[in-house]
Every structure is written in structure tokens, then in C-alpha cells.
Amino acid sequence: MKKNSGFHTRLIHAGHKKDPLGSVTTPIYQTSTFEFENAQHGADCFAGTSNGYIYTRLGNPTIRSLEDAVANLEGGFGGIAVASGMAAVTTMYMTFLSAGSHIVSSAAVYGASRTVLEKHFSRFGVEATFLDTSKLELIEAAIRPNTKVLYIETPANPTIAITDIAGCADIARKHNLKLVVDNTFCSPYLQRPLELGADVVLHSITKFINGHADVVGGVLVCKTEEDYKFMYNVMTSMGPNMDPHQAYLVSRGLKTLAIRMERAQENALKIAQWLENHPKIAWVLYPGLPSHPQHELAKQQMKGSGALMSFGVKGGFEAGRKLMDNVQLAVLAVSLGGIETLIQHPASMTHAKVAAEAKLAAGITDDMVRYSVGIEDAEDLIADLEQALDKA
Ligand SMILES: *Cc1c(COP(=O)(O)O)cnc(C)c1O
């Protein structure tokens, strides 16, 4: 594969090393440990003067293949695959935060990314401020002398609020902060934060990157060698590793990322337009609709509008509950970014543990329904919503 190959070519070939036995796909190296050629080779591997594999917690060819592929797609120095999206988030916190440091983050960041700071990292003296990062002036005002990280999620989950990544990069540079972006909602196909000035991008690969609702996993990509080496040491010391079989499945899913995303967002736009004109729908938030408050910014920093939307049914939570109980095609389940369409209620499900005032401040209203669009036929999904709305 040429260095300047297009995104689709890199999706298929990046990270794959020519296999000595001719395997076209990267084999599953389901082993915990690796045999050294002799005592000197073992010593060289530990000294880092030979790049042979040692032990799977410290590195494994199947996992490395996935890490190299995602790093290539995001345009960073190196990738680090871990057991879950939350393992990626906490590895990033452990890398850049110490006792007494402060982090500024999006109020509508993924629920557990917030509660792990409030409940657990606070036990180690880490301070956190959550605010609407779509308003850059609020970020500047929240920065303290001990602020180390600006951590944003855009579009945010589940409010679909967009944060200006390049604007955040300017602030981070000025105040010497690490800018980290949770790119789960977009995947590198739609948005590449490192190109816009971020230092680290992370994913729950449970979602679009794997895309088939059959694996939980996470990945981080660092822009610089220095950040990568330090973070890799944190990860291998703490041990939130990915498993080789898990890496194989994710590599398999990753290859079709672009065509899945294209199909899902084509469906999403049709459904969002249809919902917006439905008399029982109070509001729809989808970046591809001109009614989205940050439609222009979304067009600038995203290559497409993605497959996630949220909407409110007239009649509030009760009407929304009836809708969720009556859909027959969309699956009532949390998570997102798979090939099947999912529907859920953030206030009582994914964000139930976020305090009531914090939820409201983050824009997570009781009437909000989140809809993750899959790759079925848009007409069937619309018919499903129509019959369920008739009962709501
Ligand atoms: C799901 C998700 C996470 C957490 O990932 P897991 O794989 O469930 O641990 C983090 N951020 C976002 C935006 C997510 O959607």
C-alpha cells in the first residue's frame, strides 16, 4: 500500500503485514507469550534493541495490526488498543492527570467518562469541571493553573451538540493543555481531530469502528511519539489490554466502516427529515438538518452528518416510552453505531446516574429519545416509527 493511498484503500490494507505463510487476513495470535530465539534475543527484546514480541500484555501482532490501522486512519503516531471504550478513557486520564490536576470536559460527555472522574478520580485528588464546550468562551473561563486536559466529545452523547475542535486546539495550545477528543460518534471516516489540532483521539470501538454489536473495545491514538510512549507504558503497566481474538473481530468490522457509515447516514438524513415534519414530534437534533443550531460548524469539521440523532415526542417521557415500547424494527437497547437501528431513553438509561441538575444543564431532557440509525431500508425504519408514533 502506498503512503498516500485513499481512505478506503487504507481501511482495507493499513496495519496488515505480509504474512510468512501467505494468510491474506491478519492471523489471530492467540498466545499469552512468545518464544525467544535464544537468551540474547530475549535480553534484546526486553532492552528494546530488538522489536520482537515478548508477552501479550506488552504487545501482540493481531492487536498491533488493529492499532496500526486506526493510527493510520486517524493520522497519528501510534495506536493503543484496550479492552473497552472506558478503558481508553481511563488510560487517557491516568496518562495526563496526577493528584491535584484539573480537567475541563463537556457536560454531555459519555455518562461514565464523567462519573468515573466525579466518583473515583476525585479520590486521588483530581478536580473536574464540566461545561458546554460548544461555547468556547466558557472553556477559557474555566481553565485554572492546574488544568492539564481539555477533553471533548463532539457530537456529544446524546445532545448532538457540536464543539469546535480547531477552536479548542487554539485554547489548548495557549494554556499548554492536552486536547483529547472522543471521536466515537464520527469515526475517522467522518472526522479526524488530530488534523484539526488535537493531541489524542479515542474511541469506544464497540460502536462504529467494530460496527456489529458483538465486541466491546477501545482504542487511543496519540499524535506524538512522546505521548504515545508514555501512554503505552501506562497502559501496559495497568493492564486494561485488548485480547487478540477481540482485535481480530474489530479489524474485520473496521474494513467496512466507510460503506456502513455512508449507508447509515443516508438513512439518518431521510429519517430526521421525516421526523421533523411529523405532527407528534416536538423537536429533532441531527447535524445534517439546517435546524441544528451548529449545522454550519458540523459541515466544516465533519465529512458527513453521522447516524445519531435525538428527538422529543410531544407528550414528554410518557409518549416517548410508548414509542419505545411499540417500535418493532428498531431495537430497544443502549449502545450505538451498529448495523442495526437502536432506540433508547438517555435520562432513564445511559445517563440515569448523572445528577438531575447536571443532566438538565447538559441538555439531557426527560423527553429525549436517542436513535442510532443502522443500515436497514430507510422506508422500513420510517414505517416502524410511523406505526409506533400512532400509538404514542
Ligand atoms: C460507548 C461509549 C463510550 C464507552 O465505551 P465502552 O466501549 O462501552 O466502554 C465512551 N464514549 C462514547 C461516546 C460512547 O458512546
PDB file of all heavy atoms in Angstrom, residues 336-358:
ATOM      1  N   LEU A 336     -24.662   2.077  20.267  1.00  0.00           N
ATOM      2  CA  LEU A 336     -24.909   2.808  19.019  1.00  0.00           C
ATOM      3  C   LEU A 336     -23.879   2.366  17.996  1.00  0.00           C
ATOM      4  O   LEU A 336     -22.945   1.635  18.314  1.00  0.00           O
ATOM      5  CB  LEU A 336     -24.788   4.323  19.275  1.00  0.00           C
ATOM      6  CG  LEU A 336     -23.440   4.814  19.859  1.00  0.00           C
ATOM      7  CD1 LEU A 336     -22.536   5.402  18.798  1.00  0.00           C
ATOM      8  CD2 LEU A 336     -23.676   5.834  20.950  1.00  0.00           C
ATOM      9  N   GLY A 337     -24.073   2.834  16.776  1.00  0.00           N
ATOM     10  CA  GLY A 337     -23.040   2.647  15.761  1.00  0.00           C
ATOM     11  C   GLY A 337     -22.970   1.258  15.165  1.00  0.00           C
ATOM     12  O   GLY A 337     -21.987   0.906  14.524  1.00  0.00           O
ATOM     13  N   GLY A 338     -24.003   0.451  15.358  1.00  0.00           N
ATOM     14  CA  GLY A 338     -24.014  -0.886  14.771  1.00  0.00           C
ATOM     15  C   GLY A 338     -24.817  -0.900  13.485  1.00  0.00           C
ATOM     16  O   GLY A 338     -25.394   0.104  13.063  1.00  0.00           O
ATOM     17  N   ILE A 339     -24.875  -2.063  12.868  1.00  0.00           N
ATOM     18  CA  ILE A 339     -25.596  -2.182  11.609  1.00  0.00           C
ATOM     19  C   ILE A 339     -27.108  -2.221  11.826  1.00  0.00           C
ATOM     20  O   ILE A 339     -27.883  -1.999  10.901  1.00  0.00           O
ATOM     21  CB  ILE A 339     -25.143  -3.448  10.843  1.00  0.00           C
ATOM     22  CG1 ILE A 339     -25.109  -4.632  11.803  1.00  0.00           C
ATOM     23  CG2 ILE A 339     -23.801  -3.237  10.173  1.00  0.00           C
ATOM     24  CD1 ILE A 339     -24.694  -5.929  11.183  1.00  0.00           C
ATOM     25  N   GLU A 340     -27.542  -2.469  13.061  1.00  0.00           N
ATOM     26  CA  GLU A 340     -28.976  -2.471  13.335  1.00  0.00           C
ATOM     27  C   GLU A 340     -29.363  -1.170  14.052  1.00  0.00           C
ATOM     28  O   GLU A 340     -28.572  -0.597  14.810  1.00  0.00           O
ATOM     29  CB  GLU A 340     -29.420  -3.693  14.153  1.00  0.00           C
ATOM     30  CG  GLU A 340     -28.763  -3.854  15.511  1.00  0.00           C
ATOM     31  CD  GLU A 340     -27.316  -4.299  15.410  1.00  0.00           C
ATOM     32  OE1 GLU A 340     -27.062  -5.487  15.147  1.00  0.00           O
ATOM     33  OE2 GLU A 340     -26.435  -3.428  15.580  1.00  0.00           O
ATOM     34  N   THR A 341     -30.581  -0.700  13.815  1.00  0.00           N
ATOM     35  CA  THR A 341     -31.056   0.541  14.417  1.00  0.00           C
ATOM     36  C   THR A 341     -31.441   0.303  15.880  1.00  0.00           C
ATOM     37  O   THR A 341     -32.119  -0.675  16.195  1.00  0.00           O
ATOM     38  CB  THR A 341     -32.264   1.061  13.621  1.00  0.00           C
ATOM     39  OG1 THR A 341     -31.809   1.353  12.287  1.00  0.00           O
ATOM     40  CG2 THR A 341     -32.856   2.308  14.248  1.00  0.00           C
ATOM     41  N   LEU A 342     -30.953   1.209  16.751  1.00  0.00           N
ATOM     42  CA  LEU A 342     -31.232   1.102  18.187  1.00  0.00           C
ATOM     43  C   LEU A 342     -31.950   2.359  18.664  1.00  0.00           C
ATOM     44  O   LEU A 342     -31.698   3.459  18.181  1.00  0.00           O
ATOM     45  CB  LEU A 342     -29.940   0.945  18.982  1.00  0.00           C
ATOM     46  CG  LEU A 342     -29.005  -0.228  18.640  1.00  0.00           C
ATOM     47  CD1 LEU A 342     -27.774  -0.195  19.547  1.00  0.00           C
ATOM     48  CD2 LEU A 342     -29.715  -1.560  18.782  1.00  0.00           C
ATOM     49  N   ILE A 343     -32.826   2.172  19.656  1.00  0.00           N
ATOM     50  CA  ILE A 343     -33.537   3.307  20.247  1.00  0.00           C
ATOM     51  C   ILE A 343     -33.389   3.202  21.761  1.00  0.00           C
ATOM     52  O   ILE A 343     -33.378   2.100  22.310  1.00  0.00           O
ATOM     53  CB  ILE A 343     -35.029   3.303  19.793  1.00  0.00           C
ATOM     54  CG1 ILE A 343     -35.736   4.605  20.177  1.00  0.00           C
ATOM     55  CG2 ILE A 343     -35.799   2.088  20.313  1.00  0.00           C
ATOM     56  CD1 ILE A 343     -37.098   4.786  19.479  1.00  0.00           C
ATOM     57  N   GLN A 344     -33.213   4.343  22.443  1.00  0.00           N
ATOM     58  CA  GLN A 344     -33.103   4.309  23.912  1.00  0.00           C
ATOM     59  C   GLN A 344     -33.496   5.652  24.521  1.00  0.00           C
ATOM     60  O   GLN A 344     -33.634   6.649  23.819  1.00  0.00           O
ATOM     61  CB  GLN A 344     -31.689   3.910  24.349  1.00  0.00           C
ATOM     62  CG  GLN A 344     -30.618   4.930  24.043  1.00  0.00           C
ATOM     63  CD  GLN A 344     -29.981   5.559  25.279  1.00  0.00           C
ATOM     64  OE1 GLN A 344     -30.486   5.449  26.382  1.00  0.00           O
ATOM     65  NE2 GLN A 344     -28.868   6.250  25.072  1.00  0.00           N
ATOM     66  N   HIS A 345     -33.657   5.652  25.847  1.00  0.00           N
ATOM     67  CA  HIS A 345     -34.062   6.847  26.592  1.00  0.00           C
ATOM     68  C   HIS A 345     -32.920   7.265  27.525  1.00  0.00           C
ATOM     69  O   HIS A 345     -32.752   6.679  28.599  1.00  0.00           O
ATOM     70  CB  HIS A 345     -35.338   6.531  27.396  1.00  0.00           C
ATOM     71  CG  HIS A 345     -35.826   7.703  28.180  1.00  0.00           C
ATOM     72  ND1 HIS A 345     -35.921   7.707  29.549  1.00  0.00           N
ATOM     73  CD2 HIS A 345     -36.236   8.928  27.770  1.00  0.00           C
ATOM     74  CE1 HIS A 345     -36.380   8.875  29.959  1.00  0.00           C
ATOM     75  NE2 HIS A 345     -36.585   9.636  28.909  1.00  0.00           N
ATOM     76  N   PRO A 346     -32.105   8.271  27.125  1.00  0.00           N
ATOM     77  CA  PRO A 346     -30.920   8.631  27.912  1.00  0.00           C
ATOM     78  C   PRO A 346     -31.213   8.940  29.387  1.00  0.00           C
ATOM     79  O   PRO A 346     -30.477   8.490  30.262  1.00  0.00           O
ATOM     80  CB  PRO A 346     -30.376   9.870  27.184  1.00  0.00           C
ATOM     81  CG  PRO A 346     -30.851   9.710  25.789  1.00  0.00           C
ATOM     82  CD  PRO A 346     -32.196   9.051  25.883  1.00  0.00           C
ATOM     83  N   ALA A 347     -32.274   9.727  29.671  1.00  0.00           N
ATOM     84  CA  ALA A 347     -32.493  10.193  31.053  1.00  0.00           C
ATOM     85  C   ALA A 347     -32.694   9.033  32.027  1.00  0.00           C
ATOM     86  O   ALA A 347     -32.295   9.119  33.195  1.00  0.00           O
ATOM     87  CB  ALA A 347     -33.664  11.167  31.109  1.00  0.00           C
ATOM     88  N   SER A 348     -33.309   7.933  31.579  1.00  0.00           N
ATOM     89  CA  SER A 348     -33.520   6.812  32.497  1.00  0.00           C
ATOM     90  C   SER A 348     -32.584   5.646  32.233  1.00  0.00           C
ATOM     91  O   SER A 348     -32.589   4.660  32.951  1.00  0.00           O
ATOM     92  CB  SER A 348     -34.972   6.322  32.406  1.00  0.00           C
ATOM     93  OG  SER A 348     -35.212   5.715  31.151  1.00  0.00           O
ATOM     94  N   MET A 349     -31.746   5.747  31.187  1.00  0.00           N
ATOM     95  CA  MET A 349     -30.866   4.622  30.845  1.00  0.00           C
ATOM     96  C   MET A 349     -29.401   5.057  30.900  1.00  0.00           C
ATOM     97  O   MET A 349     -28.813   5.056  31.976  1.00  0.00           O
ATOM     98  CB  MET A 349     -31.264   4.045  29.481  1.00  0.00           C
ATOM     99  CG  MET A 349     -32.669   3.431  29.510  1.00  0.00           C
ATOM    100  SD  MET A 349     -33.208   2.846  27.888  1.00  0.00           S
ATOM    101  CE  MET A 349     -34.909   2.444  28.228  1.00  0.00           C
ATOM    102  N   THR A 350     -28.816   5.450  29.752  1.00  0.00           N
ATOM    103  CA  THR A 350     -27.369   5.733  29.732  1.00  0.00           C
ATOM    104  C   THR A 350     -26.937   6.829  30.696  1.00  0.00           C
ATOM    105  O   THR A 350     -25.820   6.815  31.188  1.00  0.00           O
ATOM    106  CB  THR A 350     -26.903   6.160  28.323  1.00  0.00           C
ATOM    107  OG1 THR A 350     -27.845   7.083  27.798  1.00  0.00           O
ATOM    108  CG2 THR A 350     -26.779   4.964  27.406  1.00  0.00           C
ATOM    109  N   HIS A 351     -27.780   7.823  30.940  1.00  0.00           N
ATOM    110  CA  HIS A 351     -27.378   8.948  31.775  1.00  0.00           C
ATOM    111  C   HIS A 351     -28.139   8.975  33.103  1.00  0.00           C
ATOM    112  O   HIS A 351     -28.187  10.002  33.780  1.00  0.00           O
ATOM    113  CB  HIS A 351     -27.511  10.262  30.997  1.00  0.00           C
ATOM    114  CG  HIS A 351     -26.472  10.388  29.920  1.00  0.00           C
ATOM    115  ND1 HIS A 351     -26.483   9.577  28.792  1.00  0.00           N
ATOM    116  CD2 HIS A 351     -25.370  11.171  29.803  1.00  0.00           C
ATOM    117  CE1 HIS A 351     -25.443   9.888  28.028  1.00  0.00           C
ATOM    118  NE2 HIS A 351     -24.762  10.848  28.620  1.00  0.00           N
ATOM    119  N   ALA A 352     -28.718   7.817  33.504  1.00  0.00           N
ATOM    120  CA  ALA A 352     -29.512   7.746  34.725  1.00  0.00           C
ATOM    121  C   ALA A 352     -28.682   8.103  35.964  1.00  0.00           C
ATOM    122  O   ALA A 352     -29.201   8.678  36.925  1.00  0.00           O
ATOM    123  CB  ALA A 352     -30.113   6.353  34.886  1.00  0.00           C
ATOM    124  N   LYS A 353     -27.378   7.810  35.936  1.00  0.00           N
ATOM    125  CA  LYS A 353     -26.535   8.040  37.120  1.00  0.00           C
ATOM    126  C   LYS A 353     -26.024   9.484  37.213  1.00  0.00           C
ATOM    127  O   LYS A 353     -25.439   9.864  38.220  1.00  0.00           O
ATOM    128  CB  LYS A 353     -25.354   7.066  37.131  1.00  0.00           C
ATOM    129  CG  LYS A 353     -25.762   5.638  37.441  1.00  0.00           C
ATOM    130  CD  LYS A 353     -24.616   4.863  38.074  1.00  0.00           C
ATOM    131  CE  LYS A 353     -25.018   3.446  38.397  1.00  0.00           C
ATOM    132  NZ  LYS A 353     -25.012   2.585  37.172  1.00  0.00           N
ATOM    133  N   VAL A 354     -26.205  10.261  36.158  1.00  0.00           N
ATOM    134  CA  VAL A 354     -25.787  11.667  36.196  1.00  0.00           C
ATOM    135  C   VAL A 354     -26.834  12.434  37.015  1.00  0.00           C
ATOM    136  O   VAL A 354     -28.038  12.240  36.832  1.00  0.00           O
ATOM    137  CB  VAL A 354     -25.666  12.226  34.754  1.00  0.00           C
ATOM    138  CG1 VAL A 354     -25.276  13.693  34.765  1.00  0.00           C
ATOM    139  CG2 VAL A 354     -24.643  11.417  33.948  1.00  0.00           C
ATOM    140  N   ALA A 355     -26.364  13.279  37.954  1.00  0.00           N
ATOM    141  CA  ALA A 355     -27.281  14.019  38.848  1.00  0.00           C
ATOM    142  C   ALA A 355     -28.292  14.834  38.034  1.00  0.00           C
ATOM    143  O   ALA A 355     -27.977  15.320  36.946  1.00  0.00           O
ATOM    144  CB  ALA A 355     -26.471  14.925  39.763  1.00  0.00           C
ATOM    145  N   ALA A 356     -29.519  14.983  38.608  1.00  0.00           N
ATOM    146  CA  ALA A 356     -30.632  15.604  37.880  1.00  0.00           C
ATOM    147  C   ALA A 356     -30.290  17.005  37.351  1.00  0.00           C
ATOM    148  O   ALA A 356     -30.541  17.311  36.179  1.00  0.00           O
ATOM    149  CB  ALA A 356     -31.870  15.661  38.770  1.00  0.00           C
ATOM    150  N   GLU A 357     -29.670  17.846  38.207  1.00  0.00           N
ATOM    151  CA  GLU A 357     -29.348  19.222  37.763  1.00  0.00           C
ATOM    152  C   GLU A 357     -28.297  19.168  36.654  1.00  0.00           C
ATOM    153  O   GLU A 357     -28.362  19.936  35.685  1.00  0.00           O
ATOM    154  CB  GLU A 357     -28.786  20.118  38.888  1.00  0.00           C
ATOM    155  CG  GLU A 357     -29.327  19.929  40.283  1.00  0.00           C
ATOM    156  CD  GLU A 357     -28.657  18.754  41.001  1.00  0.00           C
ATOM    157  OE1 GLU A 357     -27.496  18.888  41.384  1.00  0.00           O
ATOM    158  OE2 GLU A 357     -29.302  17.702  41.160  1.00  0.00           O
ATOM    159  N   ALA A 358     -27.324  18.261  36.825  1.00  0.00           N
ATOM    160  CA  ALA A 358     -26.258  18.143  35.821  1.00  0.00           C
ATOM    161  C   ALA A 358     -26.833  17.685  34.485  1.00  0.00           C
ATOM    162  O   ALA A 358     -26.429  18.148  33.426  1.00  0.00           O
ATOM    163  CB  ALA A 358     -25.193  17.169  36.299  1.00  0.00           C
TER     164      ALA A 358
END
